Every structure is written in C-alpha cells, then in structure tokens.
C-alpha cells in the first residue's frame, strides 16, 4: 500500500497556520508537535477560517487549541464563533471563557451568563482607562518616585486590569507608559545603571536570590501549592470526558451516585493516587516529576500513593529493576501506602475480560499484527469482529488454557474502528505469550495489555486521581469507555507535560541502548539523567524535587528544560550544605626558596565561607611547606592586565596562606615545558596581590600530597535535543567524561566515605564515588561553580 507523505502534510499544515496569522517560528514549532497540530487543525475547521483570518483571531484560536478543557468539547464551536465574530477579542476574555466552560463541562449553559463571564459587549473607553491609570499611579506614587524606571510595570498593569479586566491591553500599556513619562520625565544616566549595579552587588547575590525565592508576593497561590488545581474526591461525579463515536453518539463519562458513594465509603474520602512504573529499566528524572505529582498530591491532602509495578509484559521485566525502583522511590523521599503489582490482579482482569465478552464489547481476533495495522489505517472492521459471543468465550478460554499458538489470536475490545481517535481502534486487551512471569510464575500464558489493565486496576484500587503524561491524553477515551462498559468506578484523569532535559535522551529504549551497547558505564553512569546516575554524580533528592517543583505540573507541551536550570537547584543546595576543600587537578610544582626545606607552617583553612573564628569545627589544618602545587593553568609565561594568575615577576596570594612571587621558571630541554616554579613567600603579608589561588603542599620533604582520581563529567550529547536526530549516537560528546588520575588533595579528604560531598575551591562540587579504595579515592564532579541559569539562563 502507498506510504503516506508526512513531509507534504507538514508543509500543508504550515501553510494553514501561517494563513491564520501565526508567526513562522510558532507555526513550525506547532507542526513539529503532532498533538497540537491535530487540535489546531480541528479548531481552524470548526471556526471555518481555512482561508485565513487576522493575526489577533489566529492567536486566540491557537490558545483554544492548546488550552480548551477536554470535558467541554461540545461547547467549543460556540466559543469559536464568538472569537471569529470578534465578540471575544482579548486574551483575558478568552481565559474567562475557558474557565467558564471548564466549570460547565458538557452541561447546558445560559448564553447571558457566558457573555457576562467573558465581558462580551463591554467596551472600556479611553477616558475610563486613563482614569484607572491615574488612580493606580496616585496610590503607588511614592514607590514609583523612589524606583523611577525600575518600577515593576507589570504590577501597575495588573492593578489597572483589576479595575477594568476587559480593557484593551495595548491601550492600557500606552497610557501607563505615557503616565510614567509625565511623572518621571526623560530617563537619566542613573536610571540606566541597573546592570552595573548588579555586578557590584555580586558578592551578596546568593543572599538576594534566597530572599526573592521566599517572598510570597512573587508567587501565585498555585505556585505556592501546585496541587490546588485538583478536585476533591467527593466532586468526582462530573463528566470526565466525552467520547465521540463515528455514528454521531456521544458517551459522557461520569460516575453514578451509587458508584461514587461506594468508592467514598471504601476510601473514607481520602485521596489515593498511584505511581505505576514499568519495571523494564531504571527510573530517570522524568519519573521524579511523576513521583512529585503522585506522592506530592497525597502528601498535601493526607492521602496515600500506591507504588504499583505495571508488570504486564513478562519478557521485559527484571527483578533488578523492581528492586531499584523501590529503593530509588525511598531515596527520593517518598513512602508508598502499599506496593502492588498489576499481576496481583490477573485473575480479576481475566474475569472482567470474560464479562466484557459477555456484554458484547470484546471479541477474539485472528488477524496478524500487519493485518491489524492495515485495517486500522483503512478504518476497517476485523472479519472476526461480529463473531458470536459464545464463540469468543470458547476461544478466549482456549487461549487461557494454552490451546492456541502464540500470535494466532488476541482478545480485542469492540470500540469504534471509524473513530477520529486511533486509540479507539479496537485495542488489544489480551495476547498469548508462553513466557513465565517474574512475579506471577507460570500460571498464565495470556497477558493483559496496558490499555486494558491500567484503567481497571486504577478502579479496583479505588484511585481517586489517575495522573499521567500528555502522550496518554488520546487514551483517555479508551480508559473511560472500558470502565463504562464494565460498570466500574471511574477515577479522575489528568495529564501533565513530560519532563525532558536538554542534551539528553529520556526514552527507555534509547537509555537501554546506551547501557547495553556500553556507550556509558551502566544505568548509574553519572552522565545519565537516571536517578541512580544523578545520585552517583552527587545530586541530592531534595535538589531534584526542588527542580521539579520549580518546573511545575502544567499541561504545557513544551517541557524541555535547559540543563542549567537543574544545575542551579543543585548549586543552591550544595552551596549551603557541603564543606570546602582544596584540590589541584593538574599540579605544577612551586618551590619556596626563602622557606627552609622540612619547615612546616600549620595554617587554618575554612570549611565554610562564613566560618566563625571561635568554631574549631569550621576549620581544617593545611601544612605550608617549601614545596607547594598550584594548577598548571594558573601560571603563564606572559602576564596581562586581565590575568590574575602567577607569572614571572608577579605575585599572587595562596588562599589561607601567604603571598608568593615568581622569581624563576625551570624549563625542560625543549625550552617550552615548565617543570618547576621558584618563588619567594611574604611572611609579613604586606604584599596585596589581586589574584588568589588554591594550592596543596607536601606534608613532609619528598612525600607527595594525597593523590586522588577526579572524574570531570559534562553533557552527554552535544545537541540540545539529540532525540530528534536520525543518528543520535553520533551526537555523543567525546569529552563528556575526562578522568584525571593524579590530582593532589588536602589531607582532609583522606577519611571521606562514599557519598561525601565537597566543594573543591574554584573547581566545583564533587562527591566520593563507590569505585574508591583506600589506596585511591575517586571523586565525581557533580556540577561546576558557574551559574548561567540565575543570570538569564532558562
């Protein structure tokens, strides 16, 4: 059969999106997202603007395509007519309309109530806007005069919007800008010194950021408690979603009063969720977001979260993965209400499958996988779809008894092969696999599919909120169809965006390829975004949870987060919690010529920047002898104004010690390689050099300092989104792991144990790795000291 030309479809959609006024970047990003593309195309056709519309209307249609509540699709055409006719013409009006229909769901609504909620027909005059702006400026005049052009204009606009929510935003902004100019006049030189002042305040930057983080005025109620968006269990009688069938009928899925009362009686009204990983690999940072939502909601509502292993595929699961998942969930700080397995319910699932057949909603099919694919593409029913119920019951029993060969039969749900949703194309409920199950043993030779088992086990466990990522949104129809067909309790389903991090692949298939083909050193390789890898790299569970909370639990489908943002949260914690130490990665020998050989001066070095002089525990001893080592990169043969390291004839300060001045350079026979530096130290400390270097000294003549191995980890992939590349393995960063086998460290590190973290001064944060032995300690770099996120990174 002919192959569908996806590139031509993309060009067609791109042209359509440009016609409605989307800018080219937004249009191309939309085309790259199949789900948003499908929604937007439907919205454009419903609005009857396939030949184009104004940019304002087009942008509002885009918002509808990305934010419209799924439980009120029946009303979407009404909203679109208001947009196209310019009765709804601002973002504020549209947001009000979306909220109105989210609350209305599929129920009938009163037109006047809708128009009042959205400000339809409300015209705010220029005089009214000007008066509101004057009032806001009068109320905030002293603050504006104090801050001048550093005033938060967004807050002023917000105050005006509270008075006139339906005012034209552009007009409001123009009046505010004009009023600022009238009050303050031209910008002065002082008004433009914002950037330079930030640089001068750099030493106290951390404290400033800490204050900003905890200022309530900077955060909305939802940001302070992201779980406020979820309904209470007793509210779970509303329509969950609407399933539109090809024959024109609509299934409005919701719980009956009896089902909800029975559920609430069983749960005591508590919130119950589940974290349901498939035990076919190690968990990654995306699972950390899932845990934060699943466990976090129940922690917030005093409920409970099941750790449920989705073990329906006996060929992929391993005991190693099961053990890892349980252990890593606890490490992340979460306590499951109970640990369960989908396989615990195999008998219940089988019995319900028999009932589904009896009710005429399932049949035994003999199509091959290729035939199923072809029939789905053509939206054709299987030849066995209408076989008698008794015949399917007999064949399904034969499947269970092992009387039918593997691949010769499946049990399929009788859904809607002509639906616009491909996840309603008679999904497979059971398939034959003559494979023992890691948890259930050899009792079964038929196994349920995810699409069949997942929703039923949610119902059997009385889950109140079934939370999953957005790629499962199109499965929502199948989820509710099946529970409705069986007359089972229906949990509240909500999807959130996946968490992806730049310069990394997150799919288990790709991660498994990296591990099995030995591109990395196992599932806990510190370069991976697996939780085991992050832990081995020295990342804490609390910083991961802080990162996830900061990302939020929105439904935005653009959740690829810059790695800098994760590193920011890691630094924020480690900066406050780990002691400092000095390590030299690439040692260059410096002989102090005016200090007698064998002479040792014991000095105090700070473990913490704010160490108090009367707190002995905040310091460690470092010996200063006539042989010290500095970083090779901290010496140059030619000095320059912007260079603060050591050079011939130049002085630097050795941290916690003395100023030294380079008096001689010993070169190798090639006259280029530097073998040794000769220097004099200033015991009086009268010299005040600008440069400050870290260093390590010999503890006794001729005995090297503590020798350690240091592993420097960097981004695993060169591209921000390697998963999009055809040859993604070719994008691996050859410098993602650099091993320094002979670094020198202060003696403080000698007694470190695996998992101990340190800041190596001027180098970054490091953790002692499990590969360490007493004779050779191994440190992994967690993150560097630089922080691009807080300075404008994303």
């Amino acid at each position: 059969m002919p192959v569908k030309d996806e590139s031509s479809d993309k060009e067609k959609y791109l042209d359509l999106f440009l016609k409605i006024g989307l800018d080219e970047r937004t249009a191309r990003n939309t085309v790259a997202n199949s789900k948003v593309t499908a929604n937007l195309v439907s919205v454009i056709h419903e609005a009857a603007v396939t030949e184009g519309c104004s940019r304002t209307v087009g942008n509002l249609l885009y918002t509808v395509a990305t934010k419209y509540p799924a439980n009120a699709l029946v009303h979407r055409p009404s909203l679109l007519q208001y947009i196209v006719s310019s009765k709804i013409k601002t973002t504020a009006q549209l947001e009000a309309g979306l909220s109105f229909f989210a609350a209305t769901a599929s129920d009938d609504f009163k037109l006047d109530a809708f128009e009042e909620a959205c400000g339809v027909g409300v015209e705010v005059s220029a005089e009214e806007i000007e008066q509101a702006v004057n009032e806001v400026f009068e109320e905030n005049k002293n603050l504006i005069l104090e801050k001048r052009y550093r005033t938060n204009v967004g807050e002023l606009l917000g105050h005006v919007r509270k008075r006139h929510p339906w005012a034209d935003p552009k007009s409001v902004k123009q009046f505010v800008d004009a009023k600022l100019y009238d009050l303050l006049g031209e910008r002065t030189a002082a008004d433009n010194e914002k950037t330079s002042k930030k640089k001068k305040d750099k030493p106290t930057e951390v404290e400033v950021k800490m204050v900003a983080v905890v200022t309530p005025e900077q955060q909305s109620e939802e940001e302070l408690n992201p779980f406020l968006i979820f309904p209470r269990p007793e509210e779970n009688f509303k329509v969950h979603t609407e399933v539109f069938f090809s024959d024109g009928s609509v299934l409005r899925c919701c719980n009956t009063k009896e089902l909800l009362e029975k559920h609430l009686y069983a749960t005591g009204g508590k919130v119950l969720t589940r974290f349901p990983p498939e035990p076919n690999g190690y968990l990654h940072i995306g699972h950390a977001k899932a845990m934060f939502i699943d466990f976090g909601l129940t922690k917030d509502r005093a409920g409970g979260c099941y750790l449920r292993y989705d073990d329906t595929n006996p060929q992929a699961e391993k005991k190693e993965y099961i053990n890892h998942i349980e252990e890593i969930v606890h490490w992340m700080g979460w306590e499951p209400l109970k640990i369960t397995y989908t396989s615990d319910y195999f008998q219940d699932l089988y019995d319900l499958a028999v009932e589904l057949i009896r009710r005429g909603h399932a049949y035994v099919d003999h199509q091959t996988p290729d035939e199923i694919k072809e029939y789905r593409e053509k939206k054709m029913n299987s030849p066995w779809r209408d076989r008698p119920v008794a015949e399917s019951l007999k064949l399904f029993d034969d499947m269970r008894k092992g009387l039918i060969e593997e691949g010769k039969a499946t049990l399929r749900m009788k859904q809607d092969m002509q639906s616009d949703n491909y996840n309603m194309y008679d999904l497979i409920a059971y398939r034959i696999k003559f494979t023992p199950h890691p948890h259930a043993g050899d009792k079964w030779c038929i196994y349920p599919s995810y699409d069949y088992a997942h929703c039923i086990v949610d119902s059997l466990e009385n889950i109140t909120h079934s939370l999953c990522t957005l790629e499962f949104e199109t499965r929502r129809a199948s989820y509710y169809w099946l529970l409705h067909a069986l007359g089972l309790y229906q949990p509240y389903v909500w999807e959130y965006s996946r968490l992806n991090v730049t310069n990394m692949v997150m799919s288990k298939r790709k991660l498994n390829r990296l591990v099995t083909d030995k591109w990395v050193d196992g599932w806990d390789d510190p370069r991976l975004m697996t939780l085991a890898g992050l832990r081995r790299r020295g990342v804490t569970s609390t910083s991961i949870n802080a990162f996830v909370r900061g990302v939020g639990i929105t439904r935005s489908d653009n959740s690829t987060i810059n790695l800098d943002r994760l590193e920011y949260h890691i630094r924020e914690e480690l900066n406050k919690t780990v002691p400092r130490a000095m390590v030299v990665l690439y040692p260059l020998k410096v002989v102090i010529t005016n200090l007698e050989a064998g002479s040792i001066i014991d000095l105090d070095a700070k473990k913490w920047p704010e160490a108090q002089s009367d707190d002995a525990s905040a310091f460690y001893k470092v010996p200063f002898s006539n042989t010290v080592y500095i970083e090779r990169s901290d010496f140059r043969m030619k000095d320059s104004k912007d260079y603060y390291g050591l050079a011939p004839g130049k002085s630097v300060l050795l941290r916690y010690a003395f100023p030294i001045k380079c008096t001689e350079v010993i070169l190798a026979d090639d006259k280029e390689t530097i073998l040794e530096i000769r220097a004099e130290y200033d015991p009086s400390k009268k010299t005040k050099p600008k440069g400050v270097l870290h260093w390590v000294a010999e503890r006794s003549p001729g005995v090297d300092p503590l020798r350690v191995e240091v592993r420097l980890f960097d981004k695993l992939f060169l591209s921000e989104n390697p998963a999009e590349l055809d040859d993604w393995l070719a994008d691996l960063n050859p410098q993602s792991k650099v091993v320094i086998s002979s670094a020198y460290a202060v003696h403080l590190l000698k007694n470190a144990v695996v998992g101990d973290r340190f800041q190596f001064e001027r180098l970054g944060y490091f953790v002692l790795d499990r590969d360490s032995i007493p004779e050779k300690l191994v440190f992994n770099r967690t993150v560097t000291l630089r922080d691009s996120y807080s300075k404008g990174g994303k």
Side-chain angles (χ1 to χ4, degrees):
M1 59 186 296
V3 178
K4 187 177 180 181
D5 186 353
E6 293 186 5
S7 61
S8 64
D9 276 353
K10 287 186 176 181
E11 288 301 318
K12 180 179 69 176
Y13 294 143
L14 178 62
D15 181 61
L16 180 61
F17 299 159
L18 292 174
K19 278 184 179 179
I20 66 166
L22 296 189
D23 62 83
E24 186 169 354
R25 181 179 179 183
T26 301
R28 290 191 180 278
N29 286 342
T30 302
V31 169
N33 187 315
S34 58
K35 185 175 74 67
V36 178
T37 294
N39 286 347
L40 185 54
V41 169
S42 297
V43 164
I44 291 170
H45 280 87
E46 280 182 27
V49 292
T50 53
E51 296 305 314
C53 60
S54 69
R55 179 183 293 270
T56 299
V57 170
N59 286 334
L60 294 177
L61 295 181
Y62 180 84
T63 301
V64 172
T66 54
K67 291 188 176 181
Y68 192 86
N71 66 339
L73 288 172
V74 67
H75 301 310
R76 190 167 72 179
S78 300
L79 178 62
L80 295 176
Q81 287 308 306
Y82 273 79
I83 293 172
V84 173
S85 62
S86 293
K87 291 181 179 178
I88 288 179
K89 51 192 175 183
T90 69
T91 302
Q93 286 182 296
L94 178 56
E95 292 289 349
L98 295 174
S99 297
F100 179 88
F101 284 127
T104 304
S106 61
D107 297 341
D108 293 336
F109 70 96
K110 293 182 179 180
L111 202 61
D112 55 349
F114 167 70
E115 291 187 346
E116 182 181 355
C118 301
V120 173
V122 177
E123 295 291 339
V124 183
S125 67
E127 291 76 15
E128 289 174 312
I129 295 175
E130 185 176 18
Q131 181 182 346
V133 170
N134 289 338
E135 291 172 358
V136 168
F137 268 71
E138 188 61 34
E139 291 171 5
N140 296 274
K141 187 174 181 179
N142 292 336
L143 185 64
I144 296 171
L145 289 173
E146 178 188 346
K147 293 190 173 182
R148 290 185 56 79
Y149 283 100
R150 297 188 192 89
T151 300
N152 188 331
V153 176
E155 289 184 1
L156 299 179
L157 295 172
H159 290 313
V160 178
R161 277 197 296 271
K162 285 182 180 178
R163 287 169 166 79
H164 295 297
W166 315 125
D168 177 54
K170 290 183 180 178
S171 298
V172 174
K173 181 68 164 59
Q174 289 170 356
F175 275 105
V176 168
D177 288 344
K179 187 67 178 177
L180 268 178
Y181 184 81
D182 289 344
L183 183 63
L184 304 177
E186 295 284 352
R187 283 179 176 268
T188 66
D191 291 326
N192 296 319
E193 288 181 358
K194 189 174 181 180
T195 302
S196 59
K197 284 187 177 181
K198 277 189 176 180
K199 287 183 178 178
K200 290 178 183 177
D201 292 337
K202 190 172 182 179
T204 58
E205 185 175 317
V206 172
E207 287 76 12
V208 172
K209 282 187 289 184
M210 286 168 57
V211 172
V213 169
V214 298
T215 303
E217 291 76 13
Q218 301 298 318
Q219 295 177 299
S220 68
E221 198 173 9
E222 287 76 13
E223 288 171 325
L224 290 170
N225 183 353
F227 304 109
L228 292 175
I229 61 175
F230 298 115
R232 297 187 301 274
E234 60 268 25
E235 296 176 317
N236 197 7
F237 58 86
K238 300 176 182 178
V239 173
H240 295 288
T241 195
E242 295 169 323
V243 182
F244 294 88
F245 292 94
S246 56
D247 62 3
S249 61
V250 180
L251 172 63
R252 293 184 171 90
C253 302
C254 60
N255 286 309
T256 63
K257 181 181 178 182
E258 293 74 21
L259 277 175
L260 184 58
E261 287 179 350
K262 181 181 177 182
H263 159 78
L264 293 173
Y265 178 79
T267 63
K270 287 190 174 182
V271 170
L272 295 177
T273 63
R274 79 288 173 272
F275 173 59
E278 187 177 357
N280 61 355
Y282 277 45
L283 301 187
H284 54 65
I285 198 166
H287 294 102
K289 179 175 180 177
M291 280 188 263
F292 176 80
I293 298 172
D294 289 322
F295 285 97
L297 172 60
T298 56
K299 183 178 180 181
D300 179 72
R301 304 282 180 89
C305 178
Y306 289 90
L307 168 56
R308 184 204 304 158
Y309 293 104
D310 177 25
D311 59 343
T312 57
N313 184 359
Q315 295 171 320
E317 283 111 33
K318 291 182 180 178
K319 183 65 174 172
E320 172 194 356
Y321 301 143
I322 291 172
N323 293 341
H324 155 74
I325 290 170
E326 183 177 348
E327 188 270 333
I328 212 74
V329 166
H330 286 286
W331 178 73
M332 285 297 297
W334 306 116
E335 189 64 39
L337 174 67
K338 185 179 179 182
I339 296 176
T340 63
Y341 296 76
T342 298
S343 56
D344 293 340
Y345 302 93
F346 275 179
Q347 186 63 53
D348 299 287
L349 291 166
Y350 175 79
D351 293 341
L352 287 168
V354 171
E355 180 62 24
L356 196 66
I357 298 171
R358 287 198 180 111
R359 295 187 180 197
H361 296 309
Y363 61 97
V364 172
D365 188 34
H366 301 289
Q367 287 184 305
T368 65
D370 287 340
E371 288 172 336
I372 291 175
K373 181 180 179 183
E374 179 184 354
Y375 274 57
R376 280 177 171 166
E377 288 173 347
K378 295 178 178 179
K379 293 190 173 184
M380 291 171 54
N381 290 342
S382 164
W384 288 277
R385 194 176 199 265
D386 296 319
R387 73 190 328 160
V389 167
E391 192 174 306
S392 283
L393 286 171
K394 171 66 168 59
L395 288 167
F396 189 50
D397 187 53
D398 288 345
M399 288 171 62
R400 182 184 65 83
K401 293 176 178 176
L403 301 178
I404 301 178
E405 291 180 36
E406 191 168 326
K408 296 297 184 181
T410 58
L411 181 70
R412 294 178 67 182
M413 294 178 271
K414 192 182 290 187
Q415 296 169 304
D416 186 0
M417 287 296 293
Q418 286 73 48
S419 171
D420 290 333
N421 183 346
Y422 61 89
N423 279 308
M424 288 293 287
Y425 291 174
D426 288 10
L427 300 180
I428 292 174
Y430 269 88
R431 68 277 199 215
I432 302 168
K433 286 183 183 289
F434 291 105
T435 304
H437 191 280
H439 187 67
D442 59 2
K443 180 180 178 180
W444 297 92
C445 62
I446 56 170
Y447 293 99
S449 67
Y450 170 88
D451 291 294
Y452 173 76
H454 182 67
C455 57
I456 293 177
V457 177
D458 275 356
S459 183
L460 295 177
E461 290 186 340
N462 273 304
I463 299 304
T464 59
H465 298 73
S466 180
L467 310 172
C468 51
T469 48
L470 275 171
E471 68 265 30
F472 293 98
E473 185 174 28
T474 56
R475 284 182 156 110
R476 191 193 286 199
S478 171
Y479 183 103
Y480 284 130
W481 174 89
L482 180 54
L483 294 180
H484 176 81
L486 289 168
L488 297 176
Y489 157 77
Q490 301 171 18
Y492 171 80
V493 173
W494 193 82
E495 300 89 3
Y496 53 88
S497 57
R498 285 178 61 117
L499 174 57
N500 293 303
V501 178
T502 57
N503 303 92
M504 179 51 62
V505 294
M506 303 294 278
S507 81
K508 279 190 178 179
R509 182 179 60 82
K510 286 185 169 66
L511 288 171
N512 193 49
R513 176 86 179 275
L514 289 171
V515 173
T516 55
D517 291 355
K518 301 192 183 304
W519 293 101
V520 295
D521 303 322
W523 285 100
D524 67 345
D525 188 299
R527 292 168 291 180
L528 294 176
M529 280 290 151
T530 58
L531 296 176
L534 288 168
R535 176 171 59 180
R536 189 174 176 187
R537 188 161 176 162
V539 179
T540 63
S541 59
T542 46
S543 61
I544 295 172
N545 283 326
F547 164 67
V548 169
R549 186 184 185 94
V551 168
I553 56 177
T554 65
R555 286 171 54 85
S556 167
D557 207 23
N558 265 331
S559 209
T560 298
I561 307 301
N562 198 299
L563 180 61
D564 291 338
R565 186 165 179 175
L566 171 61
E567 292 183 344
Y568 163 78
H569 286 280
I570 297 169
R571 289 189 192 93
E572 279 286 283
E573 177 169 338
L574 297 183
N575 181 55
K576 303 168 189 172
T577 58
V578 303
R580 276 56 171 168
M582 291 193 291
V583 175
V584 175
L585 300 182
Y586 299 100
L588 175 61
K589 187 176 182 180
V590 179
V591 176
I592 310 299
T593 57
N594 61 334
L595 182 63
E596 184 180 348
S599 178
I600 301 292
I601 303 174
D602 281 328
L603 302 171
D604 286 326
K606 291 182 177 181
K607 293 181 182 178
W608 314 98
E610 67 280 6
Q612 300 298 313
S613 58
D614 59 348
D615 181 6
S617 66
F619 294 84
Y620 66 96
K621 294 293 183 181
V622 289
F624 181 74
S625 65
N626 81 320
T627 301
V628 301
Y629 294 87
I630 64 172
E631 291 287 355
R632 192 165 288 274
S633 60
D634 281 337
F635 180 82
R636 288 184 189 173
M637 289 299 292
K638 291 184 179 181
D639 195 12
S640 62
K641 288 184 179 180
D642 59 349
Y643 175 62
Y644 295 98
L646 191 61
K650 185 178 181 180
S651 295
V652 295
L653 175 65
L654 296 183
R655 191 154 177 77
Y656 309 121
F658 306 96
I660 63 169
K661 181 178 182 179
C662 175
T663 57
E664 185 181 358
V665 181
I666 309 300
L667 300 175
D669 293 339
D670 60 11
K671 303 302 181 185
E672 291 185 4
T673 305
I674 300 171
L675 298 178
E676 184 179 300
I677 303 297
R678 302 286 170 84
E680 294 180 352
Y681 86 111
D682 175 10
S684 67
K685 299 186 180 181
K686 291 181 179 179
T687 310
K688 302 296 181 183
K690 292 183 178 179
V692 180
L693 307 184
H694 64 284
W695 55 280
V696 177
E698 288 184 354
R699 295 181 64 83
S700 57
V703 179
D704 288 339
L706 178 66
R707 192 183 299 267
V708 298
E709 179 178 305
V710 176
R711 298 170 180 174
L712 305 180
F713 295 105
D714 205 344
K715 296 169 182 174
L716 185 57
F717 290 91
L718 298 170
S719 301
E720 283 201 350
N721 197 349
E724 290 185 345
L725 303 176
D726 291 333
D727 190 3
W728 57 280
L729 287 172
D731 192 54
L732 283 164
N733 179 8
Q735 297 299 313
S736 63
K737 179 181 179 180
V738 175
V739 178
I740 302 167
S741 58
S742 295
Y744 284 161
V746 292
H747 206 67
L748 171 71
L749 302 183
K750 185 174 179 59
N751 296 320
V753 297
V754 173
D756 280 355
R757 302 177 181 89
F758 301 88
Q759 183 197 107
F760 292 173
E761 298 205 37
R762 298 179 65 221
L763 299 176
Y765 297 96
F766 293 77
V767 64
L768 190 66
D769 188 72
R770 60 177 171 79
D771 286 344
S772 297
I773 57 175
E775 297 76 25
K776 189 68 168 289
L777 302 181
V778 177
F779 289 91
N780 296 330
R781 183 171 68 188
T782 306
V783 67
T784 61
L785 292 178
R786 71 175 184 274
D787 184 358
S788 57
Y789 172 67
S790 62
K791 299 174 184 176
K794 295 180 180 178

